[in-house]
Amino acid sequence: FQLYGYCYQDTNDIPDTLTTITELGSPLEMIQLLQTSWEDRFRICLSLVRLLHYLAHSPLGSVTLLDFRPRQFVIVDGELKVTDLDDASIEESSCTSNSDCFMEFPARNFTLPCSVEGRCQSMNEKRNLYNAYRFFFTYLLPHSAPSSLRPLLDKIVNATGNHNKHGNDKYFLFCPSPSVNSEFTQKCVKSANTKYRRVPEAFIPDENYRCWPSYHHKGCLLSVFDVNEAIEICDSYSQCKAFVLTNQTTWTGRQLVFFKMASNHIMPDPDKITYVKVTD
């Protein structure tokens, strides 16, 4: 979380008080997140992995968030950030045997090894990781994911849910994010038989219909890799009769496209290209 300033106050009225000024974020609402595109949800999970890696290797040592729940996080420019550090701890649990390193969760339990130094090995890190799995990954990653990525996503979810069987590779499962983005953006698109007429520098201001998931709540605005994918999407909707390529892209570089249910009113627009379905 970005810290802009802080003030330490120690008076008779307010002893030992630290006030911080941080960046403003939006409260995390899981239901709203599930209604966003998979691409945006993957970005949130990716930022969470970066946070987990930092907590495991912070300058203070391994840090655990004892109250690791969605309400402790906010969204800032599409990235997930922790906002409440009151329950952060750097203390690793002491132990005399493995039975002392027992972690209990609602769905399953884990027993970690007790080190020769008398500390439960990586308990802070593994507590964070499993909480990330049960509160975030299991909901945000598989839901409406591209079919070509589901085997990799299943591997990620299973690795975080069974982290006691995996070493430090749990973070590196997310490291091929460029290849994930590449596979997502360059997925194979079948050649469409439907013909479309290209109208350069044109836009259809109305004729919207709603689809899911959409980047626009009053219309059907989706991301595509190229025109072929846009054609495939339009052909898959019975109400789609045209689509408009914009000059806007998502964080992975995919182009945003408006899908329309008619093309009766076309307006000039130098930044857009319209494709109209040709009917026999």
Side-chain angles (χ1 to χ4, degrees):
F1 210 63
Q2 182 67 43
L3 178 68
Y4 290 126
Y6 62 90
C7 178
Y8 175 72
Q9 188 172 359
D10 185 11
T11 64
N12 293 332
D13 297 332
I14 309 176
D16 296 328
T17 300
L18 180 66
T19 302
T20 61
I21 303 172
T22 61
E23 61 187 326
L24 182 64
S26 302
L28 191 150
E29 299 290 344
M30 190 61 68
I31 294 179
Q32 292 181 1
L33 284 183
L34 291 174
Q35 295 173 346
T36 62
S37 70
W38 181 86
E39 196 174 1
D40 287 343
R41 283 184 272 118
F42 175 74
R43 183 182 185 183
I44 289 173
C45 291
L46 191 60
S47 62
L48 178 56
V49 167
R50 295 192 187 104
L51 172 63
L52 291 172
H53 186 269
Y54 177 80
L55 292 175
H57 305 88
S58 80
L60 298 176
S62 182
V63 180
T64 186
L65 303 179
L66 298 176
D67 191 12
F68 196 117
R69 285 181 287 181
R71 69 183 185 185
Q72 307 287 39
F73 296 84
V74 295
I75 302 294
V76 180
D77 296 330
E79 303 275 340
L80 187 72
K81 298 193 177 184
V82 63
T83 182
D84 190 347
L85 296 175
D86 291 347
D87 297 303
S89 173
I90 60 173
E91 295 296 327
E92 294 277 15
S93 299
S94 59
C95 58
T96 57
S97 65
N98 291 351
S99 60
D100 296 328
C101 301
F102 182 73
M103 289 198 305
E104 185 175 6
F105 295 97
R108 63 184 310 174
N109 304 319
F110 300 97
T111 299
L112 303 179
C114 180
S115 69
V116 294
E117 294 82 11
R119 296 289 179 180
C120 296
Q121 291 184 14
S122 305
M123 179 171 278
N124 287 348
E125 179 183 8
K126 294 182 184 299
R127 182 184 289 112
N128 288 341
L129 186 65
Y130 189 77
N131 280 327
Y133 157 79
R134 71 189 185 107
F135 285 121
F136 291 96
F137 298 150
T138 190
Y139 297 109
L140 300 182
L141 278 179
H143 181 57
S144 69
S147 57
S148 59
L149 295 181
R150 283 171 188 163
L152 175 59
L153 297 176
D154 289 342
K155 183 179 180 181
I156 291 174
V157 173
N158 290 335
T160 54
N162 300 281
H163 55 72
N164 59 324
K165 298 179 181 179
H166 298 266
N168 292 329
D169 63 338
K170 52 189 169 292
Y171 299 116
F172 294 101
L173 288 171
F174 269 88
C175 286
S177 57
S179 67
V180 170
N181 295 340
S182 176
E183 189 172 357
F184 180 44
T185 58
Q186 300 183 29
K187 67 177 184 178
C188 295
V189 178
K190 297 179 181 179
S191 299
N193 294 324
T194 308
K195 294 182 179 180
Y196 287 79
R197 176 169 57 90
R198 184 177 184 270
V199 185
E201 299 184 356
F203 178 63
I204 303 173
D206 302 312
E207 309 296 350
N208 291 314
Y209 67 90
R210 294 184 179 181
C211 66
W212 186 91
S214 174
Y215 287 91
H216 194 281
H217 67 283
K218 291 185 178 180
C220 187
L221 180 63
L222 304 174
S223 68
V224 304
F225 174 61
D226 58 11
V227 174
N228 287 332
E229 186 175 358
I231 291 175
E232 183 187 49
I233 292 174
C234 190
D235 285 346
S236 67
Y237 286 96
S238 60
Q239 64 267 54
C240 183
K241 305 302 179 185
F243 60 85
V244 180
L245 300 180
T246 73
N247 59 357
Q248 296 175 295
T249 59
T250 65
W251 68 283
T252 57
R254 288 169 62 87
Q255 192 170 11
L256 290 177
V257 176
F258 276 107
F259 293 88
K260 305 288 184 173
M261 61 182 180
S263 58
N264 298 324
H265 185 50
I266 299 180
M267 297 284 294
D269 191 322
D271 297 324
K272 297 178 178 63
I273 302 174
T274 293
Y275 284 79
V276 179
K277 185 179 293 187
V278 177
T279 57
D280 296 332

